[in-house]
Amino acid sequence: MALVTLSGYPCSGKTKRAHQLQAHLEKRLQDSSYAGPKLKVVVLSDDLLNLDRSAYDDSRSEKPARGALFTAMQRQMGADTILIVDAMNYIKGFRYQMYCAAREFKLRVCTVYVVATQELCKQWNAEREDGRSYAPETLDNLLVRYEEPSSMVRWDSPLITVLWTEEDVPIDDIWKAVTEGNVKPPNAGTQAVPKAPTDALHTLEHTSTALVSAIMAEQAASGGVGGKVTLSVSDTVKPQITLPYRNVTLSEMQRMKRQFVTVHKKAITLGTVEKGAVDWSEASVAEKFVAYLEENLKP
């Protein structure tokens, strides 16, 4: 249904905002005036995954921690879920990766930027008594490296900002984003390429050869009159073709066949970019070859 990405400095109050948001969303979903699909609200965080704050001490330990968060996020995504990711999400490349994953699942997206001053974050980190504080040098490093979200880029939009002075999250704006926002289609580059069946090459070669033979036989029988004729490729495949009003030579037909086969071999071996299922049956190949010949045979 939707992915809500929380982003902000470490110890800026993101978990508080996540809990506020979860409570508001669940209340609205249970309200009698709500007439939409049945949804659940899930919060995912480093704490719930038991990722220690020391994972951010260096890049070697941070990378698998971020990978664990991303994997868990993908498992929780679904058409019946509003997923709130309560983590720093401070690297714009990681936020883009999350955005692409949401598009794969056809989810709406929203970024909530939790803002607090660096001095406040350091103060709140020092005051923590739950054993989940950052080492001072780690906190300083993360504050310097933080990449602020921007409403100008698609993976951070729509961007909703919550200041540390605000008592609550702007639930109306977030509700609108997760229930009415646009659902972006998946990136074309990430889509699985439809593959041709294993006998497609054989069908391509066999059918085009049979069509060439049928055309040459028709010309021999009619004396090269041309016009619209019906060819017999097999018992079930009998395509119609409009031949030019001249005698088409065998060498010309063989050249056309080689060009046609070469072009379509690439689609078979490398995959095709055509939308939907691609038909490589004998009838479909015959139809394609007839269209190719009619377009390329000179009058």
Side-chain angles (χ1 to χ4, degrees):
M1 174 65 176
L3 170 68
V4 180
T5 303
L6 267 65
S7 182
Y9 286 147
C11 294
S12 59
K14 294 184 297 301
T15 298
K16 173 186 173 182
R17 302 303 188 184
H19 290 157
Q20 288 177 336
L21 179 56
Q22 183 181 26
H24 283 304
L25 290 173
E26 288 178 341
K27 183 179 179 180
R28 292 205 175 192
L29 290 170
Q30 293 165 7
D31 192 277
S32 58
S33 62
Y34 173 70
K38 187 176 180 181
L39 301 172
K40 61 182 178 181
V41 182
V42 176
V43 175
L44 183 66
S45 68
D46 288 348
D47 294 345
L48 291 172
L49 295 175
N50 293 317
L51 297 175
D52 197 84
R53 296 292 190 271
S54 61
Y56 294 94
D57 289 349
D58 59 72
S59 57
R60 184 178 301 175
S61 58
E62 180 182 341
K63 189 173 180 180
R66 211 162 50 233
L69 177 67
F70 185 75
T71 301
M73 181 195 74
Q74 287 181 301
R75 284 200 299 265
Q76 293 286 359
M77 283 179 168
D80 63 342
T81 303
I82 299 176
L83 178 61
I84 303 168
V85 181
D86 169 25
M88 280 186 297
N89 303 318
Y90 72 101
I91 300 172
K92 60 184 177 182
F94 184 59
R95 293 198 299 270
Y96 176 71
Q97 188 179 3
M98 296 167 71
Y99 165 79
C100 289
R103 289 182 63 172
E104 288 297 306
F105 284 88
K106 298 181 180 179
L107 307 181
R108 294 182 176 90
V109 294
C110 172
T111 302
V112 177
Y113 180 22
V114 181
V115 179
T117 65
Q118 293 191 7
E119 290 71 24
L120 273 175
C121 293
K122 291 178 181 179
Q123 177 188 331
W124 291 339
N125 182 65
E127 292 173 352
R128 295 193 74 148
E129 297 179 353
D130 57 1
R132 294 189 177 276
S133 60
Y134 295 89
E137 59 274 13
T138 300
L139 181 61
D140 289 338
N141 184 34
L142 291 171
L143 292 173
V144 170
R145 291 167 55 199
Y146 184 80
E147 295 176 335
E148 186 177 318
S150 169
S151 60
M152 302 298 290
V153 296
R154 63 188 183 278
W155 57 88
D156 288 334
S157 298
L159 179 63
I160 298 168
T161 302
V162 187
L163 300 177
W164 73 95
T165 54
E166 297 179 53
E167 289 295 326
D168 210 340
V169 295
I171 184 58
D172 289 339
D173 293 338
I174 299 172
W175 176 258
K176 184 176 181 180
V178 300
T179 58
E180 302 176 20
N182 293 329
V183 178
K184 301 289 183 63
N187 285 327
T190 63
Q191 295 301 286
V193 178
K195 294 293 183 182
T198 53
D199 63 342
L201 279 172
H202 175 265
T203 303
L204 178 68
E205 185 70 40
H206 172 77
T207 305
S208 56
T209 300
L211 262 171
V212 170
S213 300
I215 290 172
M216 299 312 296
E218 173 63 31
Q219 280 202 146
S222 65
V225 173
K228 195 167 188 176
V229 297
T230 300
L231 304 173
S232 180
V233 177
S234 67
D235 293 339
T236 57
V237 180
K238 300 182 184 297
Q240 287 188 331
I241 185 172
T242 302
L243 295 172
Y245 293 99
R246 64 177 178 84
N247 208 31
V248 182
T249 65
L250 178 60
S251 60
E252 189 177 4
M253 287 299 303
Q254 294 285 18
R255 178 172 56 82
M256 291 288 179
K257 180 208 156 195
R258 281 195 302 272
Q259 291 172 350
F260 175 80
V261 169
T262 299
V263 168
H264 287 79
K265 253 185 187 177
K266 289 184 179 179
I268 292 173
T269 56
L270 301 179
T272 177
V273 295
E274 295 180 47
K275 292 182 179 179
V278 179
D279 187 1
W280 290 102
S281 65
E282 188 179 34
S284 178
V285 171
E287 184 181 334
K288 286 185 173 76
F289 190 31
V290 164
Y292 182 82
L293 291 173
E294 288 182 336
E295 184 179 344
N296 291 279
L297 279 174
K298 295 178 181 179

